[in-house]
């Protein structure tokens, strides 16, 4: 399946990655190539097959709903590219 | 003979006998890294000072007759494992400034058992690649070259730095991870051993996530036994990873000596193709002959959905990656590129921080999960995955293990296979099915191709039966008696 430029831009928007016009053209070719190759899966009859999301050898474990970690704001904020006191900062989002 | 030539088992035993100290072997490794890393680029970060402190501490414990499984043994750590206080990049620009405040469970287990960390090994960006060419910190060079040809070869990927470091004898062992072949394919390309254990055997906590239902940590070493020793320390249940299995860790090292008498070894007919190089086919037949001579029975088996595993993988893995990599937003950690508003900040940060291959996979993953396409791609891939698992489950009712080639070729030159992403993806054709099914897979060096490059055989086993995998791998290793060395290595005249 060949992707059109508008679809490439829409996916890039959903993925929050800026792409230039030049890159859109290249990505169109690359992504269409990958998706075209993937289309071989359409030849397999999968009717009646239950989907498998992952390999789990056991039931997911349950535990008490209690705090097990936390209270370390300085360690967590140490990697923040921008911060003010114990907060991460971003451009203004509410007028 | 220098200390760098010793296997991990020999290092461990030599330290216990006080033949040399941990500072001696750690210094030898650091000297080898100083000499060869400028050529190989196997390490992104070398933590020499910290390593020598850890080695000195290990020597004090050894002097007090303390015994721990890896006490004083130096290791390389793939730069995908978070290490407290040591920069962890995942091979990406977006994590360039990231210094984790915590230690991954696997590396914490190794430290608990006395290991010394030499530094962080290079890798494909976010472990996405089969050549180590996608690292933001430069390509890794394979220590092997073709006979009579100086062309630089790739070490494979994504654990290319770990593989090159072990093959060139910069470290006796290394941690690695495998989502679609990232331990086994570079092991094959660099003439060393490496095992991806059963999904759930090692905790994924603190490992930078790529595709969470496929990712699994494992060791790389120059011998099967070295891998067994490391895996015993890396493995074990961890409440911090809900998919970590609550099963006992057996004596993997003892299993290496078990032999294969009475074992039934499956030979999957779908792994044979006309396109396979004659020398790979010949090595495969040789490996099977060795096993038969040692008392195993060969059984022809069928895994009918093998040919669809790779295309299935290239839906499942990018889908999970696009979700996992959503966290890199320029707000809480890592790289940030400012924008006029929050949306622009996200888009600028991710455009500047992700390389081409990562971007392609995030976009493919976003597409196959998007409204209107989910059923056609992602849901269909999940059904194919169920069929792939069923193939293995049925095969393992008839056999104890499967043996196949690890990769369709030997190491290729830098710049080859770069024209089209799908050509590069085909490298993982024999390794991806084990990740889809969650089963253990080991690569062991078995021979050389016509140009003198190493080739590996892959042993696949039942879930949580790494012991049989080690037994079969050990048997192949004994018959192969693989002793050829790469041209770039510690102590070699260059």
């Amino acid at each position: 399946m060949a992707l059109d430029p508008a679809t490439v831009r829409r996916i890039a928007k959903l993925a929050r990655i800026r792409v230039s016009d030049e890159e859109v053209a290249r990505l169109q070719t690359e992504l269409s190539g990958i998706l075209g190759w993937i289309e071989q899966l359409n030849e397999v009859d999968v009717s009646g097959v239950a989907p498998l999301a992952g390999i789990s050898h056991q039931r997911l474990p349950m535990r008490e709903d209690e705090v097990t970690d936390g209270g370390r704001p300085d360690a967590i904020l140490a990697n923040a590219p921008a911060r003010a006191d114990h907060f991460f900062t971003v451009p203004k989002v509410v007028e | 003979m220098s200390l760098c030539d010793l296997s991990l088992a020999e290092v461990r035993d030599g330290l216990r006998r006080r033949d040399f100290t941990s500072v001696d072997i750690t210094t030898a490794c650091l000297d080898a890294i100083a000499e060869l890393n400028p050529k190989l680029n196997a390490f992104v970060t070398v933590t020499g000072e910290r390593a020598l402190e850890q080695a000195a501490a290990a020597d004090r414990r050894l002097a007090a007759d303390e015994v721990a499984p890896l006490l004083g043994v130096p290791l390389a750590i793939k730069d995908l494992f978070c290490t407290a206080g040591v920069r962890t990049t995942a091979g990406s620009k977006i994590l360039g400034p990231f210094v984790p405040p915590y230690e991954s469970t696997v590396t914490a287990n190794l430290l608990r058992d006395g290991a010394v960390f030499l530094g962080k090994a290079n890798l494909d960006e976010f472990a996405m690649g089969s050549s180590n060419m996608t690292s933001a910190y430069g390509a890794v060079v394979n220590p092997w070259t073709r006979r009579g040809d100086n062309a630089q070869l790739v070490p494979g990927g994504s654990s290319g730095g770990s593989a090159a470091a072990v093959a060139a004898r910069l470290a006796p062992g290394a941690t690695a991870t495998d989502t679609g072949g990232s331990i086994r394919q570079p092991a094959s390309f660099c003439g060393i051993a490496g095992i991806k254990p059963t999904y759930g055997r090692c905790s994924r906590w603190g490992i930078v996530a790529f595709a969470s239902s496929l990712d699994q940590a494992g060791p790389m070493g120059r011998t099967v036994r070295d891998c067994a020793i490391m895996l015993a320390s890396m493995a074990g249940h961890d409440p911090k990873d809900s998919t970590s299995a609550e099963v006992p860790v057996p004596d993997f090292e003892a299993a290496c000596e078990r032999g294969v008498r009475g074992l039934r070894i499956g030979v999957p007919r779908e792994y044979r193709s006309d396109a396979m190089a004659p020398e790979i086919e010949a090595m495969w037949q040789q490996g099977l002959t060795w096993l038969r001579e040692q008392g195993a029975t060969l059984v022809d088996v069928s895994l009918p959905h093998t040919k669809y595993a790779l295309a299935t993988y290239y839906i499942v893995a990018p889908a999970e990656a696009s979700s996992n990599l959503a966290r890199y937003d320029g707000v809480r950690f890592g790289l940030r590129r400012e924008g006029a508003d929050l949306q622009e900040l996200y888009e600028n940060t991710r455009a500047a921080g992700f390389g081409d291959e990562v971007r392609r996979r995030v976009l493919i993953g976003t597409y196959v999960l998007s409204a209107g396409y989910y059923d056609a791609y992602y849901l269909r891939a999940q059904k194919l995955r169920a069929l792939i698992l069923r193939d293995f489950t049925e095969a393992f009712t008839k056999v104890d293990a499967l043996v196949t080639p690890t990769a369709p070729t030997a190491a290729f030159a830098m710049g080859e296979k770069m024209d089209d992403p799908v050509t590069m993806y085909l490298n993982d054709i024999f390794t991806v099915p084990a990740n889809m099914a969650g089963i253990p897979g080991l690569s062991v060096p078995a021979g050389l191709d016509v140009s003198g490059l190493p080739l590996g055989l892959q042993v696949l086993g039942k879930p949580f039966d790494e012991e049989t995998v080690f037994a079969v791998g050990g048997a192949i290793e004994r018959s192969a008696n693989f002793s050829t060395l790469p041209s770039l290595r510690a102590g070699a005249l260059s």
Side-chain angles (χ1 to χ4, degrees), chain B residues 341-381:
Chain B
D341 55 22
L342 189 56
Q343 177 84 11
E344 254 190 36
L345 182 150
Y346 292 153
E347 292 186 352
N348 292 345
T349 296
R350 292 162 65 82
F354 292 149
D356 287 345
E357 182 60 24
V358 170
R359 186 165 58 166
R360 267 196 291 276
R361 296 201 197 186
V362 168
L363 293 175
I364 288 282
T366 304
Y367 182 69
V368 301
L369 292 175
S370 65
Y373 299 97
Y374 183 93
D375 286 4
Y377 289 104
Y378 189 60
L379 194 64
R380 174 167 285 267

Side-chain angles (χ1 to χ4, degrees), chain B residues 108-119:
Chain B
N109 290 348
L110 291 167
L111 292 171
R112 173 204 64 203
D113 285 354
V116 170
F117 292 170
L118 297 164

